[in-house]
Amino acid sequence: VDLSLQVVERDGWTVVLVGGDIDLTTAPTLRERLLRLLAEGHRHLMVDLAGVGFCDSTGLGVLVGTARRARNEGGDVELSDLTPGLQRIFQLTRLDQAFAIHADLDAVPVRGG
Amino acid sequence: VVADAGPADDPLPPGGRVVELEIPARPDYLDVVRMVVATAASLEPSFADDRIADLRLAVSEACTNAIEAHADLGEPDDTDRIVIRCDLADDRIEVEVVDRGGGFDPGDLDALPAVEDPSRLDFERGMGIGLMRTLTDETEFSSSEEGTSVRLVVYHTRIAEGS
């Protein structure tokens, strides 16, 4: 199982482009990267999940934990470009109501502009 | 030329078809489990893709719990094994995930707080069992000191929409 992570600055957001499967194997890598970005002062993270074909509850837990940390520090974690499969998981767990979810990166509003 | 009836034309033998997989209790085998379960399920043409995706995730959750149960017992070695048995019946697929980890009491798991409750975000773990119950038509846990068995059933046609 491979996970790819790419970080770019865009419109006031730190965008994390995630690719691959998120499960018990790869979730620690994602968690470390997101927490490191927060620790470096990137408090507004936009996690783009367009390239994620599978995400289990371990992956959801990473996103929830990172969002909580970011919000405690005056930032936030928002999500973009969920595949239909992921949208369904977010609906079933009702996490679609815990995150701002954008259709894609072009639909993300410019921050602090 | 004698036309040979393919597997799809053969009637199912009594008891259906069983696919069994035994893996080391290690996370890097989750991918293999998902692939085998999804492939086995797709042998039945009436099984909709979204139901296969549901089953794939539910089984992955069950195996994740099994792997973590083994890890809780200490450093895993090669004798820590998890068995995944898929029974492809006419109208449904039943998957049993059996581990020899420490076991747990599913009744001990508190329900997650409502989404509007800010403490919802305090729960990074514990979503897996709720997901299994929502994704499948039947979920059954039996746990003892010897380990845990999880039985997941998905019918080809959804009989109950998760709430």
Side-chain angles (χ1 to χ4, degrees):
Chain A
V1 185
D2 287 324
L3 187 76
S4 70
L5 295 171
Q6 197 190 341
V7 180
V8 294
E9 296 294 328
R10 173 177 165 143
D11 296 339
W13 292 92
T14 300
V15 179
V16 183
L17 299 152
V18 189
D21 290 352
I22 310 176
D23 66 7
L24 197 56
T25 324
T26 55
T29 308
L30 179 63
R31 177 188 289 114
E32 281 163 29
R33 187 59 176 271
L34 295 178
L35 292 182
R36 182 148 46 92
L37 286 168
L38 289 180
E40 289 167 355
H42 302 276
R43 284 198 295 270
H44 294 274
L45 302 180
M46 179 64 57
V47 180
D48 184 279
L49 297 167
V52 174
F54 178 87
C55 178
D56 71 0
S57 65
T58 324
L60 298 177
V62 168
L63 295 173
V64 165
T66 312
R68 186 186 58 207
R69 177 81 64 97
R71 288 169 196 179
N72 285 344
E73 295 172 4
D76 203 356
V77 174
E78 299 190 11
L79 309 175
S80 108
D81 218 338
L82 277 62
T83 62
L86 253 64
Q87 285 174 30
R88 184 168 148 67
I89 301 311
F90 273 78
Q91 284 159 10
L92 290 175
T93 53
R94 297 218 209 155
L95 286 176
D96 57 341
Q97 296 171 54
F99 286 95
I101 300 178
H102 306 275
D104 56 40
L105 287 179
D106 289 335
V108 174
V110 177
R111 258 203 76 254
Chain B
V1 176
V2 178
D4 186 18
D9 297 325
D10 291 335
L12 275 173
R17 304 189 189 99
V18 173
V19 176
E20 196 171 287
L21 176 69
E22 186 180 301
I23 59 162
R26 296 215 313 259
D28 40 339
Y29 285 86
L30 284 170
D31 199 25
V32 177
V33 174
R34 289 198 292 269
M35 206 158 51
V36 169
V37 169
T39 306
S42 67
L43 289 172
E44 172 51 64
S46 73
F47 216 171
D49 285 349
D50 64 334
R51 297 258 65 197
I52 294 177
D54 288 353
L55 179 69
R56 193 170 74 121
L57 177 52
V59 173
S60 193
E61 295 290 345
C63 290
T64 296
N65 286 350
I67 290 165
E68 292 191 319
H70 277 272
D72 286 345
L73 291 180
E75 197 62 32
D77 64 39
D78 287 344
T79 63
D80 286 316
R81 315 286 286 183
I82 296 168
V83 174
I84 299 99
R85 191 179 299 114
C86 310
D87 190 343
L88 307 163
D90 279 342
D91 58 338
R92 67 189 184 280
I93 177 165
E94 290 190 27
V95 182
E96 199 179 7
V97 176
V98 181
D99 70 58
R100 300 189 64 79
F104 74 105
D105 180 358
D108 285 348
L109 294 167
D110 293 324
L112 290 174
V115 279
E116 53 274 17
D117 185 339
S119 71
R120 178 71 171 80
L121 287 185
D122 290 339
F123 287 81
E124 289 175 44
R125 293 170 58 106
M127 276 184 282
I129 286 176
L131 254 184
M132 278 186 257
R133 288 192 167 126
T134 307
L135 291 167
T136 61
D137 295 312
E138 294 169 28
T139 310
E140 198 180 292
F141 301 92
S142 53
S143 197
S144 72
E145 285 177 3
E146 279 84 54
T148 300
S149 162
V150 182
R151 191 175 142 270
L152 303 162
V153 183
V154 171
Y155 288 83
H156 295 171
T157 311
R158 185 182 294 279
I159 56 165
E161 187 64 55
S163 56

